Amino acid sequence: MKRILLILIVISTSIGYSQTDAEVLRTIYTQSLTNGKSYDWLNHLSNQIGSRLSGSLGAERAVAYTKEELEALGLDKVWLQPVMVPKWVRGAKEFAFIETEPGKTTNVNICALGGSVATPALGLKAQVVEVHNFQELEALGTAGVQGKIVFYNRPMQADLIQTFDAYGGCVNQRYQGAVEAIKYGAVGVIVRSMNLRMDDLPHTGSMTYNNVPVDKRIPSAAISTNDAELLSTMLKLDKSIQFYFKQNCKQLKDVQSHNVIGEITGSEFPDEYIIVGGHLDSWDLGDGSHDDGAGVVQSMDVLRLLKASGIKPKRSIRVVLFMNEENGLRGGNKYAEVAKQKNENHIFALESDAGGFTPRGFSFDCSDAAFSQVLSWQQLFKPYLIHYFEKGGSGADVGPLKTESIVLAGLRPDSQRYFDHHHASNDTFDAINKRELELGAATMTSLVYLFDKYGVNPISNSSLIKN
Amino acid sequence: MKRILLILIVISTSIGYSQTDAEVLRTIYTQSLTNGKSYDWLNHLSNQIGSRLSGSLGAERAVAYTKEELEALGLDKVWLQPVMVPKWVRGAKEFAFIETEPGKTTNVNICALGGSVATPALGLKAQVVEVHNFQELEALGTAGVQGKIVFYNRPMQADLIQTFDAYGGCVNQRYQGAVEAIKYGAVGVIVRSMNLRMDDLPHTGSMTYNNVPVDKRIPSAAISTNDAELLSTMLKLDKSIQFYFKQNCKQLKDVQSHNVIGEITGSEFPDEYIIVGGHLDSWDLGDGSHDDGAGVVQSMDVLRLLKASGIKPKRSIRVVLFMNEENGLRGGNKYAEVAKQKNENHIFALESDAGGFTPRGFSFDCSDAAFSQVLSWQQLFKPYLIHYFEKGGSGADVGPLKTESIVLAGLRPDSQRYFDHHHASNDTFDAINKRELELGAATMTSLVYLFDKYGVNPISNSSLIKN
């Protein structure tokens, strides 16, 4: 009991810290909202460079541009980390229609899924069988599926408040749909776009063939939500209608690309690393402003905002712009692999890969003790309307860094509009609001500042702040 | 002490209420997100009817349309409440330019402020004096202002997190700018648009002449933020540049219009009234989707969602669609006046007039006791990411109902994008996200449900929920 009392006395003399922290956060937010760089950087990335699929010219230009911009910030180190990435190309724009009788066709909007094989050069035409999950597919079996196109049409669940939950509930159709359909002799796959809105835009995204031999692979495409409804309605009227689609996408050989890394070396604990990042690659239909140009420029701005706010980090802070999150995660894996080789002690990794919308908070993948530490900081964020501090996932690119002691976190912006744009041709700069983007950068910087100052040391630090 | 203990025992047997409430809220949100009517109604209001300035044909069509739609809901009563409203018309599109030397002009984007007089038929040309507040104007005095156009150029403060605070810090330039400028002999007023974004759209809004005689009134217009910057820069280079503008807006005689009211009569306490509302009128440049078509359709949907969720209110619930919030507040005043005449006991009034964006919570104008009651419900809203429960303002239209005992509240949506659209030609339906609008309607319905169930009876009720 005496020891506990002693600790309480120490705590009560340390109350001042909290006030300083509040002032630092205010400085960070003001800097970001009045003097932020995120929006200008994203304008360049989106409008001058454009889409950045791994292995594309856009991706390589983005590597060069962000490296140059980081160098201009006067960081302690900026470097490129080589990583081999897959190179998939879409080729000519896809074409598709529903045919009710020979020559009577209705065009529909599709796009090839990332990683899909092409159709035969003249396209593929077959009857369609609609299913909503793999159980329905299994029930149909080879008798019902052989020689047909499988149409996965399970919509995202509208009554889930967090749209990422609705995405999680649907995305196996897209990722795993071909593998399952191949088991029963399907000749192609059409997937309802992962979009909560009814519109005409198909949404791409990665799919897998697992270990299905190359000659058994079937072409897979996404169809817009409006056209998914149309196809479903037409199938109800007549099961014998035909679906035609043509795509000439192709998987090429792996090519070399890079993660882009910048570092402010810590003044007291240079061997403890905090990283903040987003992914530099994007799908090819839009310009990847929300996914994940936003996360890239916010992460870059974290280091700039620390400097602009007069904060000299005690620990080493790195920005990592990961290559190939969308169709391989090679960059995230490479970064973790090198960190392990070098025995670098990463204590905190924060990812922004959920869009550039108004930040609501963070999701944490960490120990309960570390989570209590984070909760003790929650009140500091209240003036900025940041309220969401929950345990959960972090992000794909920081995931490979997972250890027992590290804190992994993901920025959680408002998610209501995210899937209107995700992987579609309207993921473009005009959908970005400057203030929302800047609030996200400030929110990330604030959390990095706190972890830099206090480290991951839950018992003593959470007490310091709580009082 | 014994009495307190007894109360605690009663409380502990009443825990079940909270679970029921959680289930009811879940039903309300699911209904709104899967079966909401707000978005369809707003589509009609915005795209079939359009702008609805008081006294305009659009306003009258909106009265007829919303009355018809409320009637179709099978409410207990639907009626129109007559109210005389001002009628101001914009006339021909305004025209303005900056003249650096005779014949050398640069066009700029302006719009007349609501209530302004016209310029002379051939327009008005004069030198410009730029100020940022009334103190600067006073310092210039008649010597500096006489015969000139006063250009108010104080920007909205970007580092304020809540954009309504930034608006509050600037709007006196627009509302009071002419009255102040007239004191020093100005011939016209140009005001920087109340917009946090740099763009080319002028934002209108109401202004006053107070009791300045008609022949002393000077024309007042808003200029886009981009052109405000341009004008300011050009003035720095040459103070003698001239500004020309032409507008032929006009204040006509008052005309009769209506508030639209619908009611579900309470089953137990029909003489206790809860109202929920927004304003049916809008400015004329856009279609008023965010300001305040969103509040109108959300309020209508509150009554529909209560019915759809199987809730039979104990108290009388009214939706009130107020006329003339923008340039007179005649509807809000009329409703309160009639309520007072009839001695109607209003216990709770909720307004939605801050845009149709993702709801963050509510601002409450009420006693501390009533506010504790509200805070005891806060946890119920956490699954819906509703976290903002603060004391503060409510809304202009419910304001006149203020008494010591009533709870006034305003829905508080995310405000970052609101002033990009407010009173400008881009306040249009395409800026509305269906889910965000529906989440707002569900959030309002949930609070109405709780006030209907528990009444405003802070001590007993807050205890019931807290446990």
Side-chain angles (χ1 to χ4, degrees):
Chain A
M1 279 300 278
K2 274 180 189 166
R3 274 189 201 162
I4 291 170
L5 277 172
L6 188 66
I7 290 166
L8 286 170
I9 289 160
V10 172
I11 291 163
S12 68
T13 61
S14 303
I15 294 174
Y17 284 21
S18 180
Q19 183 53 29
T20 309
D21 293 339
E23 285 160 18
V24 171
L25 261 63
R26 183 63 261 186
T27 302
I28 291 169
Y29 276 90
T30 298
Q31 276 293 332
S32 190
L33 287 166
T34 61
N35 196 26
K37 278 281 282 177
S38 316
Y39 194 69
D40 283 350
W41 279 329
L42 188 55
N43 184 12
H44 187 98
L45 209 54
S46 298
N47 290 323
Q48 299 301 316
I49 296 177
S51 74
R52 303 173 295 280
L53 192 54
S54 291
S56 69
L57 180 60
E60 293 318 297
R61 288 179 63 201
V63 166
Y65 169 69
T66 52
K67 175 167 181 278
E68 197 175 295
E69 290 297 315
L70 288 177
E71 281 166 348
L73 295 182
L75 306 180
D76 295 310
K77 292 181 210 163
V78 175
W79 71 100
L80 299 183
Q81 182 173 64
V83 55
M84 294 301 290
V85 296
K87 178 170 179 146
W88 177 86
V89 293
R90 184 172 300 280
K93 187 165 165 44
E94 303 83 348
F95 178 61
F97 57 73
I98 301 164
E99 188 179 71
T100 47
E101 51 188 88
K104 209 166 169 188
T105 63
T106 304
N107 290 358
V108 292
N109 296 288
I110 67 152
C111 67
L113 293 181
S116 174
V117 297
T119 57
L122 294 178
L124 170 70
K125 190 157 76 174
Q127 282 189 15
V128 180
V129 58
E130 177 178 342
V131 296
H132 299 89
N133 50 57
F134 298 148
Q135 291 71 43
E136 284 181 29
L137 184 75
E138 193 184 350
L140 288 168
T142 306
V145 172
Q146 181 87 46
K148 292 184 180 162
I149 292 169
V150 172
F151 168 38
Y152 292 103
N153 194 27
R154 180 161 88 259
M156 287 175 77
Q157 204 180 318
D159 61 344
L160 296 175
I161 305 302
Q162 307 216 46
T163 61
F164 282 86
D165 293 342
Y167 181 66
C170 273
V171 72
N172 71 338
Q173 299 174 102
R174 188 193 77 206
Y175 191 70
Q176 203 71 17
V179 169
E180 295 301 317
I182 287 166
K183 291 182 187 168
Y184 307 103
V187 294
V189 162
I190 298 292
V191 186
R192 182 191 181 99
S193 286
M194 308 287 125
N195 179 6
L196 278 153
R197 195 164 67 166
M198 300 308 302
D199 66 24
D200 296 326
L201 306 176
H203 292 226
T204 191
S206 64
M207 53 85 63
T208 185
Y209 291 111
N210 286 351
N211 47 11
V212 172
V214 173
D215 63 331
K216 301 281 186 206
R217 296 179 180 185
I218 61 176
S220 304
I223 187 167
S224 76
T225 47
N226 276 343
D227 288 332
E229 290 294 301
L230 177 72
L231 177 57
S232 180
T233 305
M234 290 173 84
L235 280 170
K236 280 185 187 71
L237 296 171
D238 180 1
K239 280 189 179 176
S240 71
I241 58 172
Q242 304 257 312
F243 192 91
Y244 169 87
F245 72 119
K246 187 163 85 117
Q247 56 191 33
N248 71 339
C249 43
K250 197 186 267 185
Q251 191 77 47
L252 306 176
K253 278 192 185 149
D254 288 1
V255 297
Q256 181 168 293
S257 185
H258 297 89
N259 293 328
V260 181
I261 308 176
E263 179 183 303
I264 299 175
T265 305
S267 59
E268 282 185 46
F269 311 111
D271 296 337
E272 288 189 21
Y273 294 95
I274 289 174
I275 74 163
V276 60
H279 65 85
L280 206 43
D281 63 309
S282 79
W283 282 107
D284 56 333
L285 298 174
D287 61 35
S289 285
H290 277 293
D291 186 13
D292 183 28
V296 164
V297 298
Q298 287 174 328
S299 298
M300 290 166 70
D301 222 6
V302 168
L303 274 69
R304 199 195 62 84
L305 285 167
L306 288 172
K307 287 174 81 91
S309 307
I311 298 163
K312 295 193 200 318
K314 297 197 277 188
R315 295 169 166 85
S316 292
I317 319 284
R318 282 186 186 163
V319 52
V320 185
L321 310 178
F322 297 97
M323 184 50 68
N324 185 231
E325 189 274 344
E326 292 294 4
N327 56 339
L329 207 69
R330 302 278 186 89
N333 287 326
K334 173 60 76 176
Y335 182 82
E337 180 192 315
V338 173
K340 199 172 174 186
Q341 277 167 7
K342 297 194 173 173
N343 208 16
E344 289 172 345
N345 178 21
H346 283 68
I347 64 160
F348 173 51
L350 172 60
E351 181 164 330
S352 169
D353 185 18
F357 299 97
T358 306
R360 305 293 295 263
F362 304 95
S363 172
F364 294 93
D365 178 3
C366 63
S367 69
D368 289 341
F371 187 58
S372 339
Q373 177 182 11
V374 166
L375 287 181
S376 75
W377 296 330
Q378 192 167 3
Q379 279 301 308
L380 280 171
F381 288 87
K382 202 184 167 205
Y384 311 100
L385 307 181
I386 303 300
H387 62 102
Y388 185 86
F389 289 75
E390 302 290 336
K391 289 197 81 168
S394 54
D397 279 313
V398 299
L401 288 168
K402 178 128 180 105
T403 62
E404 263 187 32
S405 59
I406 195 171
V407 177
L408 301 178
L411 182 71
R412 291 294 171 261
D414 195 300
S415 74
Q416 300 308 322
R417 295 176 182 230
Y418 186 64
F419 291 96
D420 296 358
H421 303 277
H422 184 244
H423 297 183
S425 60
N426 63 341
D427 182 4
T428 46
F429 189 67
D430 59 295
I432 297 281
N433 177 279
K434 182 171 180 283
R435 289 177 59 83
E436 294 178 358
L437 186 73
E438 290 167 348
L439 285 168
T443 303
M444 293 166 71
T445 308
S446 298
L447 189 62
V448 166
Y449 157 74
L450 290 166
F451 269 109
D452 175 62
K453 181 169 172 183
Y454 296 107
V456 178
N457 190 356
I459 295 156
S460 61
N461 287 318
S462 65
S463 315
L464 279 176
I465 303 296
K466 261 182 187 159
N467 281 265
Chain B
M1 277 304 277
K2 274 180 190 165
R3 276 190 198 160
I4 290 170
L5 276 174
L6 189 64
I7 290 167
L8 285 171
I9 290 160
V10 172
I11 291 162
S12 67
T13 61
S14 303
I15 294 172
Y17 284 20
S18 180
Q19 185 51 32
T20 309
D21 294 340
E23 285 160 15
V24 172
L25 261 63
R26 183 63 259 184
T27 303
I28 291 169
Y29 276 89
T30 298
Q31 276 293 332
S32 190
L33 286 167
T34 60
N35 195 27
K37 278 282 283 179
S38 317
Y39 194 70
D40 283 350
W41 280 328
L42 188 56
N43 185 11
H44 187 97
L45 209 56
S46 298
N47 290 324
Q48 299 301 316
I49 296 178
S51 75
R52 303 172 295 279
L53 192 54
S54 291
S56 70
L57 180 60
E60 294 318 297
R61 288 179 64 201
V63 166
Y65 170 68
T66 51
K67 176 168 180 278
E68 198 174 294
E69 290 297 315
L70 288 177
E71 281 166 349
L73 295 183
L75 306 179
D76 295 309
K77 292 182 212 163
V78 175
W79 71 101
L80 299 183
Q81 183 173 64
V83 54
M84 294 299 290
V85 296
K87 178 169 177 143
W88 177 84
V89 293
R90 184 172 301 279
K93 186 163 164 49
E94 303 84 348
F95 178 61
F97 57 74
I98 300 165
E99 189 180 70
T100 46
E101 52 188 86
K104 209 165 170 187
T105 63
T106 305
N107 290 358
V108 291
N109 296 290
I110 68 153
C111 66
L113 293 181
S116 174
V117 296
T119 56
L122 294 179
L124 170 71
K125 189 157 77 176
Q127 282 188 17
V128 180
V129 56
E130 175 178 341
V131 297
H132 299 88
N133 51 55
F134 298 148
Q135 292 70 45
E136 283 182 31
L137 184 75
E138 194 185 350
L140 287 170
T142 307
V145 172
Q146 182 87 45
K148 293 183 180 162
I149 292 168
V150 172
F151 168 38
Y152 292 103
N153 194 27
R154 183 163 85 259
M156 287 175 78
Q157 205 180 317
D159 60 346
L160 296 174
I161 306 303
Q162 308 216 44
T163 61
F164 281 86
D165 294 342
Y167 181 66
C170 274
V171 72
N172 71 338
Q173 298 175 103
R174 189 193 76 203
Y175 190 72
Q176 202 71 18
V179 168
E180 295 300 317
I182 287 167
K183 290 181 186 169
Y184 307 103
V187 294
V189 162
I190 298 292
V191 186
R192 181 191 182 98
S193 287
M194 308 288 126
N195 179 5
L196 278 153
R197 195 165 66 165
M198 299 310 302
D199 66 24
D200 295 326
L201 305 176
H203 292 227
T204 191
S206 64
M207 52 85 63
T208 185
Y209 291 112
N210 285 352
N211 47 11
V212 171
V214 173
D215 63 331
K216 301 282 187 202
R217 296 180 180 184
I218 60 175
S220 304
I223 188 167
S224 74
T225 47
N226 276 343
D227 288 332
E229 290 293 301
L230 176 72
L231 178 57
S232 180
T233 304
M234 289 173 83
L235 281 169
K236 281 186 187 71
L237 296 172
D238 179 1
K239 280 190 180 172
S240 71
I241 58 171
Q242 305 255 313
F243 191 90
Y244 169 88
F245 72 118
K246 188 162 84 121
Q247 56 191 33
N248 71 338
C249 43
K250 199 187 264 184
Q251 192 75 47
L252 306 174
K253 279 192 184 150
D254 287 2
V255 297
Q256 183 170 290
S257 185
H258 297 90
N259 294 328
V260 181
I261 309 177
E263 180 183 302
I264 299 174
T265 305
S267 59
E268 282 186 46
F269 312 111
D271 297 337
E272 287 189 22
Y273 294 95
I274 288 174
I275 73 164
V276 59
H279 64 86
L280 206 43
D281 64 308
S282 79
W283 281 107
D284 57 332
L285 297 175
D287 62 35
S289 284
H290 276 294
D291 187 12
D292 182 26
V296 163
V297 298
Q298 286 173 328
S299 299
M300 291 166 68
D301 222 7
V302 168
L303 274 69
R304 198 195 63 83
L305 285 168
L306 287 172
K307 287 173 80 88
S309 306
I311 298 164
K312 294 192 198 317
K314 298 197 277 188
R315 295 167 167 86
S316 292
I317 318 284
R318 283 186 186 162
V319 52
V320 185
L321 310 178
F322 298 97
M323 183 51 67
N324 186 229
E325 189 271 347
E326 292 294 4
N327 57 340
L329 208 69
R330 302 277 185 89
N333 287 324
K334 173 61 76 178
Y335 181 83
E337 182 193 314
V338 173
K340 200 174 174 183
Q341 276 166 9
K342 297 195 173 172
N343 210 17
E344 288 172 347
N345 178 20
H346 282 69
I347 65 159
F348 173 52
L350 172 60
E351 182 165 330
S352 168
D353 184 18
F357 299 97
T358 306
R360 306 293 295 263
F362 304 96
S363 170
F364 293 93
D365 178 4
C366 64
S367 69
D368 289 340
F371 187 58
S372 334
Q373 178 183 8
V374 166
L375 288 182
S376 75
W377 296 332
Q378 191 167 3
Q379 279 302 309
L380 280 171
F381 289 88
K382 203 184 166 205
Y384 311 101
L385 307 181
I386 303 300
H387 62 101
Y388 186 86
F389 289 73
E390 300 291 336
K391 289 196 80 167
S394 53
D397 279 312
V398 299
L401 287 168
K402 176 129 181 103
T403 62
E404 263 188 30
S405 59
I406 194 172
V407 176
L408 301 178
L411 182 71
R412 291 293 171 262
D414 194 301
S415 74
Q416 300 309 323
R417 294 174 182 230
Y418 186 65
F419 290 97
D420 296 357
H421 303 276
H422 182 245
H423 297 182
S425 60
N426 63 338
D427 182 4
T428 46
F429 188 67
D430 59 295
I432 298 281
N433 178 280
K434 183 170 180 284
R435 290 177 58 84
E436 294 179 359
L437 187 73
E438 290 166 348
L439 285 169
T443 303
M444 293 166 71
T445 309
S446 298
L447 190 62
V448 165
Y449 157 75
L450 290 165
F451 269 110
D452 175 62
K453 179 168 174 183
Y454 295 108
V456 178
N457 189 355
I459 296 156
S460 60
N461 287 319
S462 65
S463 314
L464 279 177
I465 303 297
K466 262 180 186 160
N467 280 267

